[in-house]
């Protein structure tokens, strides 16, 4: 029961890398809107073409399979183009939040050693990448735009073919709450397993709209980017506005169906009238989810919303456990983190790594397809933790 019964999660969720999944969707729905930002939008065909042009350009800057590419841009259409351009070129993206202190960005870049950092004119002018000139590509600079417009709009087939399931897809740094921040290397097979499972769980194949309003440096955002763009849905991008928190603008706009957010975000909207919104699914992660807060949100939606508590450390591809909130059955202080997702396995072990009985306290161990490769440049710590 402990070894197999609780972990009967084997499921065929599809194969392939993220570039392959997106390219297939772009072929299936070329005219559908993929990304919206303020008064601009891109169809799947346009997003695919822009990303392909960038993917053809990046090898000239040293990007190939197994290389890390920094991405330090504001949330925008260009962020999404750059993200897919990096993946299509065979690189692994390293999200560098431009609102982070310069010292943290410098430390992350020094540790990950990206072959190039993609940025924007505004971020470059802010000085957070001060001192970096030879390995920075300013995406909206005239010289870059002129170079990209002459690149092919077709998929860089050689780069896509070079990608393997164990090729790195991204490097995301932990918060450092338990010590020095560590770069977690996630491979394509783990990311594809999560994204395909999440699409089956949260959209059931429907083309739904997700907001992109949180930082790429937080892997919670992976859901909001890749799930809609591999299922024919759309991303609605929200930039930073010091006057109004982005989550409040998401609610006010009424432009999305599914929202991935934290319990802190839920607390910010708990006083709002939510019955009239089009939102029908909330995916909550990143923090302990209190049952009382969940109950308040459910009541605000008049019970017409599915609330999922998704748990997972950065080292386990965004989420590895799931529980759908039930206002009748969930009476504990915190909402349970649930059961393992497709192709994940969960064990509770004692300090000798032996199974503990049901109802006992132990350490949570995660296994299965979603595990990261390990910590970048830290074989000792990887061997200890993985």
């Amino acid at each position: 029961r402990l070894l197999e019964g609780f972990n009967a999660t084997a499921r065929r969720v599809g194969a392939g890398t993220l570039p392959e999944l997106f390219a297939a969707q772009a072929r299936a729905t070329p005219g559908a809107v993929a990304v919206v930002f303020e008064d601009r939008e891109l169809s799947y065909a346009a997003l695919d073409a822009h990303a392909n042009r960038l993917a053809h350009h990046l090898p000239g800057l040293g990007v190939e399979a197994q290389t890390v590419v920094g991405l330090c841009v504001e949330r925008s259409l260009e962020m999404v183009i750059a993200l897919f351009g990096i993946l299509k070129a065979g690189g692994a993206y390293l999200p560098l939040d431009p609102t982070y202190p310069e010292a943290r960005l410098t430390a992350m870049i020094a540790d990950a050693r990206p072959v190039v950092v993609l940025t924007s004119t505004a971020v470059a002018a802010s000085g957070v990448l001060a001192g970096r000139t030879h390995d920075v590509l300013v995406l909206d600079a005239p010289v870059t735009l002129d170079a990209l417009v002459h690149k092919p709009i077709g998929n860089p087939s050689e780069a896509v073919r070079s990608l393997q399931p164990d090729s790195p897809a991204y490097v995301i740094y932990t918060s450092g709450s338990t010590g020095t921040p560590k770069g977690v290397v996630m491979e394509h097979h783990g990311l594809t397993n999560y994204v395909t499972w999440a699409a089956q769980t949260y959209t059931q194949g429907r083309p739904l709209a997700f907001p992109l309003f949180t930082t790429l440096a937080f892997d919670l955002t992976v859901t909001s980017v890749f799930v809609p763009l591999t299922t024919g849905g759309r991303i609605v991008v929200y930039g930073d506005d010091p006057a109004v928190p982005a989550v409040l603008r998401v609610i006010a706009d009424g432009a999305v169906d599914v929202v991935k957010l934290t319990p802190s975000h839920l607390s910010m909207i708990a006083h709002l009238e939510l019955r009239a919104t089009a939102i029908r699914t909330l995916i909550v992660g990143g923090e302990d989810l209190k049952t009382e807060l969940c109950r308040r949100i459910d009541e605000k939606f008049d019970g017409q919303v599915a609330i999922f508590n998704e748990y997972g450390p950065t080292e386990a591809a965004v989420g590895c456990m799931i529980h759908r909130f039930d206002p009748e059955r969930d009476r504990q202080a915190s909402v349970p983190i649930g059961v393992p997702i497709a192709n994940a396995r969960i064990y509770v072990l004692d300090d000798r790594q032996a199974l503990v009985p049901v109802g006992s306290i132990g350490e949570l161990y995660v296994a299965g397809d979603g595990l990261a490769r390990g910590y970048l440049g830290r074989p000792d710590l990887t061997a200890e933790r993985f």
Side-chain angles (χ1 to χ4, degrees):
R1 183 186 182 200
L2 295 175
L3 281 172
E4 298 175 8
F6 289 151
N7 289 304
T9 62
R11 187 191 310 174
R12 186 176 179 82
V13 296
T17 62
L18 258 297
E20 291 171 330
L21 295 182
F22 172 71
Q25 188 61 55
R27 289 192 299 270
T29 57
V33 175
V35 192
V36 178
F37 177 57
E38 297 176 346
D39 59 350
R40 302 166 60 202
E41 63 181 39
L42 287 175
S43 67
Y44 272 84
L47 173 58
D48 194 42
H50 283 300
N52 286 336
R53 285 192 175 108
L54 180 58
H56 282 288
H57 184 70
L58 290 177
L61 302 174
V63 178
E64 57 186 13
Q66 308 291 332
T67 58
V68 177
V69 180
L71 181 56
C72 190
V73 295
E74 319 92 322
R75 287 188 299 278
S76 58
L77 297 183
E78 288 69 27
M79 171 188 276
V80 181
I81 292 169
L83 190 60
F84 280 94
I86 293 168
L87 292 171
K88 282 171 171 283
Y93 70 90
L94 167 69
L96 300 165
D97 190 328
T99 67
Y100 280 176
E102 181 184 337
R104 178 170 168 82
L105 291 177
T106 300
M108 292 166 64
I109 291 171
D111 186 61
R113 299 189 298 278
V115 295
V116 64
V117 176
L118 309 187
T119 189
S120 66
T121 301
V123 173
S126 72
V128 295
L129 297 174
R132 309 194 68 81
T133 55
H134 69 284
D135 54 0
V136 172
L137 177 69
V138 181
L139 293 167
D140 55 347
V143 64
T144 304
L145 295 173
D146 183 61
L148 292 178
V149 76
H150 298 292
K151 297 295 181 181
I153 64 172
N155 276 293
S157 54
E158 189 173 322
V160 172
R161 281 197 301 269
S162 71
L163 284 175
Q164 299 298 319
D166 61 354
S167 296
Y170 64 70
V171 177
I172 286 184
Y173 276 76
T174 61
S175 64
S177 58
T178 59
T180 305
K182 301 173 287 292
V184 176
V185 183
M186 183 55 59
E187 297 174 338
H188 275 275
H189 71 92
L191 184 56
T192 299
N193 182 75
Y194 170 79
V195 169
T196 311
W197 165 84
Q200 294 171 350
T201 302
Y202 301 134
T203 74
Q204 292 86 49
R206 295 168 294 166
L208 302 180
F210 286 62
L212 173 54
F213 70 100
T214 49
T215 174
L216 272 183
F218 188 11
D219 68 349
L220 171 146
T221 309
V222 164
T223 315
S224 303
V225 174
F226 295 118
V227 172
L229 293 185
T230 54
T231 54
R234 71 176 67 183
I235 301 173
V236 182
V237 182
Y238 290 83
D240 288 322
D241 182 348
V244 184
V247 68
L248 299 183
R249 287 181 280 140
V250 170
I251 299 299
D253 283 356
V256 299
D257 307 292
V258 184
V259 183
K260 179 77 176 280
L261 72 179
T262 66
S264 295
H265 290 131
L266 283 184
S267 298
M268 295 173 68
I269 67 172
H271 67 285
L272 300 177
E273 175 53 58
L274 300 172
R275 286 180 175 85
T277 178
I279 297 167
R280 287 295 173 263
T281 303
L282 297 173
I283 309 165
V284 190
E287 303 162 6
D288 179 26
L289 178 58
K290 297 301 183 184
T291 304
E292 180 184 354
L293 173 61
C294 223
R295 197 175 304 282
R296 285 168 57 201
I297 294 295
D298 183 67
E299 291 170 355
K300 283 287 187 176
F301 277 95
D302 202 20
Q304 300 303 304
V305 67
I307 305 175
F308 292 92
N309 192 23
E310 186 185 282
Y311 168 82
T314 305
E315 293 86 345
V318 188
C320 60
M321 298 184 72
I322 187 70
H323 176 82
R324 180 170 177 173
F325 173 67
D326 185 329
E328 299 300 321
R329 297 176 59 187
D330 293 335
R331 299 289 178 180
Q332 309 94 321
S334 295
V335 177
I337 59 175
V339 297
I341 72 167
N343 304 310
R345 302 188 304 280
I346 302 294
Y347 306 100
V348 183
L349 309 180
D350 63 19
D351 56 5
R352 297 185 304 277
Q353 296 186 345
L355 290 162
V356 301
V358 171
S360 300
I361 292 173
E363 293 279 2
L364 192 70
Y365 282 71
V366 183
D369 287 354
L371 285 189
R373 174 185 294 182
Y375 298 117
L376 184 68
R378 299 291 302 275
D380 54 338
L381 193 58
T382 298
E384 175 189 332
R385 299 289 180 86
F386 282 79

